[in-house]
Amino acid sequence: MNSVKVSLPLILTILLSIGLTGPGNAQETYTNPILEKSGADPAVLYHEGKYYAYTTNGKGLVFESSDLVHWEAGPQVIPDHLKGAWAPEVYHHPEDGKFYMYYTYRYKIGVAVADRPDELFEDLGFIIIPSIDAHPFRDDDGQLYLYFVQTPDSSIYVMPMYSPTEPGGPATLCFEISQDWERHDHPINEGPWMMKMDGTYYLFYSGSNAQTIHY
């Protein structure tokens, strides 16, 4: 299906580390932000030669790019009744070819579906209550998992999924708040993101109040 889910912060780190070669072999570098007034909580999906950035923004828009540097605002993808939803992330399911958006709305995790990554998604309702910041991860064996933050204690959990819309078993605690750097101004962990490299799993997340320099 030629779809890859990638982390925008990770991509920006790579770009800033190695630079980009522009026309005439001139070396170009870029700094944050590369996308003004795009909102927060970016998650990027690569599909058929184009990158799609889903963010927390008031209009429910997707942003599109062919090179991760030059971006344009695309169409509205989040339904009007979910305006105010945050941390949307889209997963392309290889079995049915559909795109599934996991979102947080009023501290509940829901899922929506579309046939394309740049069209209005159809809301299918909530699947986890009360929780925030859902992150889908498909392992090498095809098993789909959903990582999320349970509220109000901000513990990070993972749950196997029978399908993109159906939980496949009980949730398992990954970890709770335990580090001093997670407690600045307000104790919180959020934004889990799983990656696998050379057989090892790496779970990225953020901690402390997002409105402070300690985040």
Side-chain angles (χ1 to χ4, degrees), residues 32-185:
N32 290 323
I34 60 171
L35 183 56
E36 296 283 355
K37 300 180 180 179
S38 60
D41 307 317
V44 177
L45 176 77
Y46 178 75
H47 178 66
E48 295 184 347
K50 183 179 287 188
Y51 298 93
Y52 299 88
Y54 303 89
T55 70
T56 301
N57 65 82
K59 296 182 179 180
L61 305 180
V62 65
F63 296 85
E64 303 175 358
S65 173
S66 60
D67 60 7
L68 290 175
V69 177
H70 304 94
W71 293 86
E72 293 183 355
Q76 176 183 340
V77 293
I78 298 178
D80 285 335
H81 74 278
L82 291 177
K83 290 294 183 64
W86 73 87
E89 184 175 339
V90 173
Y91 161 71
H92 188 202
H93 194 48
E95 272 77 8
D96 60 13
K98 294 185 180 295
F99 297 83
Y100 293 89
M101 174 185 289
Y102 299 91
Y103 63 84
T104 301
Y105 186 70
R106 296 180 178 175
Y107 293 92
K108 303 172 184 177
I109 291 173
V111 62
V113 65
D115 292 323
R116 291 180 46 82
D118 56 354
E119 69 178 16
L120 193 65
F121 279 68
E122 176 189 356
D123 185 26
L124 300 179
F126 297 119
I127 56 175
I128 304 178
I129 304 171
S131 297
I132 65 171
D133 294 356
H135 167 67
F137 170 75
R138 184 183 175 93
D139 209 343
D140 297 335
D141 61 0
Q143 175 62 55
L144 182 64
Y145 297 89
L146 196 67
Y147 290 83
F148 59 92
V149 179
Q150 188 176 72
T151 56
D153 62 338
S154 294
S155 297
I156 294 181
Y157 281 78
V158 62
M159 181 173 66
M161 300 291 288
Y162 178 74
S163 74
T165 62
E166 302 171 284
T172 299
L173 175 66
C174 295
F175 57 88
E176 303 169 319
I177 294 175
S178 62
Q179 308 297 310
D180 289 340
W181 68 268
E182 301 167 336
R183 299 188 176 98
H184 287 293
D185 190 65

Side-chain angles (χ1 to χ4, degrees), residues 20-28 30 67 70:
L20 292 177
T21 301
N25 295 322
Q27 194 73 8
E28 299 180 69
Y30 300 87
D67 60 7
H70 304 94

